[in-house]
Amino acid sequence: MMFSANLGFLFTDRPLPEAIRAAKRHGFGAVECHFPYDTPAREVRAALDETGLEMLGINTVPGDTASGDFGLAAVPGREREARAAIEQALDYAAEIGARNVHVMAGRTEDFDAAEALFRGTLRAACDLAAPRGIGLLIEPINRRDVAGYHLSHIEQAAATVAAVGSDALKIMFDCYHLQIMQGDLIRRFETHREMIGHVQIAGVPDRGEPDGGELHYPNLVAAFRERGWGAPIGAEYKPRSGRTEDGLGWMDAFPQERAGGTA
């Protein structure tokens, strides 16, 4: 019952193994990241073993971001690249002992064709992931930040998970994205609780520290815990000052969630 540092945004002024060590020093109980592939997996695994932190998840590569890619798994014509990205992520996750892989859907236009492709890609990915004990996640992402992203509502994610029909596939419940697109977070969490595989938080609307804006996270986190969520909650925010250490005061509102705290 602690927070996980998302090292895609936090402690980014140092190499990934040092970021893992910094997360441990500053009271995080786990870590997660976006695209760790430039760092040898053995170095990441060594830092995880040294600190005792678990890597909760990594993302599949997004594709060619310079051309606007933001994932591949639902994009017609990119099937071979999508499968390669999933295989790469699963291999890396297995080597470092990561719990989950977030399969990025990508930007799409023809919803029905893209959704059919997405479901087929995810079924094949589940067949690869399940025997290795690795979970897969899909994440509704708001279309203000990522115009055209295929998956943007939790009900759509739930329909996809149900259609794929594998216990290996769950939903990433990112409070930042879902508040922008839909709101009513406690009810939506409760409704889809059994399909949720990870929870993330950030301030809304600026995606800064989770200590202000539209959402009162002490209330939300308490509500999630009351509804049976016992896993670490991912802190996936962009530090307002640019330096992670300068903005960690938000954790003081959650003494029971901080490593070494009272719980």
Side-chain angles (χ1 to χ4, degrees), residues 8 10 20 33 41 60 66 94 102 144 161 184 217 220 223 233-234 244 246-247 249 255 263:
L10 305 184
I20 293 169
C33 59
T60 55
H102 167 209
R144 185 172 70 197
V161 170
D184 201 9
Y217 279 111
L220 271 178
I233 290 175
T244 302
D246 294 340

Side-chain angles (χ1 to χ4, degrees), residues 63-202:
D64 183 3
T65 55
S67 297
D69 287 345
F70 204 81
L72 301 167
V75 182
R78 309 293 291 278
E79 293 88 345
R80 185 174 299 178
E81 294 169 82
R83 182 179 177 88
I86 291 166
E87 291 175 348
Q88 175 194 32
L90 289 173
D91 287 346
Y92 196 100
E95 193 166 349
I96 67 172
R99 184 184 299 187
N100 295 302
V101 166
H102 167 209
V103 180
M104 299 184 68
R107 305 176 195 260
T108 62
E109 295 180 359
D110 183 337
F111 177 83
D112 290 341
E115 180 64 13
L117 175 60
F118 193 34
R119 293 178 182 187
T121 300
L122 290 170
R123 290 188 188 100
C126 288
D127 289 342
L128 296 174
R132 306 175 83 166
I134 299 171
L136 299 178
L137 299 171
I138 56 173
E139 179 182 19
I141 292 177
N142 83 79
R143 290 180 174 171
R144 185 172 70 197
D145 289 353
V146 186
Y149 195 74
H150 178 70
L151 181 61
S152 59
H153 290 74
I154 193 167
E155 291 79 11
Q156 178 194 346
T160 300
V161 170
V164 171
S166 171
D167 291 339
L169 182 63
K170 301 287 186 182
I171 298 169
M172 181 109 73
F173 191 95
D174 187 309
C175 295
Y176 167 77
H177 290 299
L178 290 171
Q179 172 66 11
I180 291 172
M181 291 300 297
Q182 298 185 270
D184 201 9
L185 297 186
I186 293 175
R187 185 186 67 82
R188 294 186 192 282
F189 180 89
E190 188 171 47
T191 298
H192 302 288
R193 169 69 185 86
E194 296 306 312
M195 288 185 172
I196 294 171
H198 189 44
V199 176
Q200 293 179 329
I201 62 175

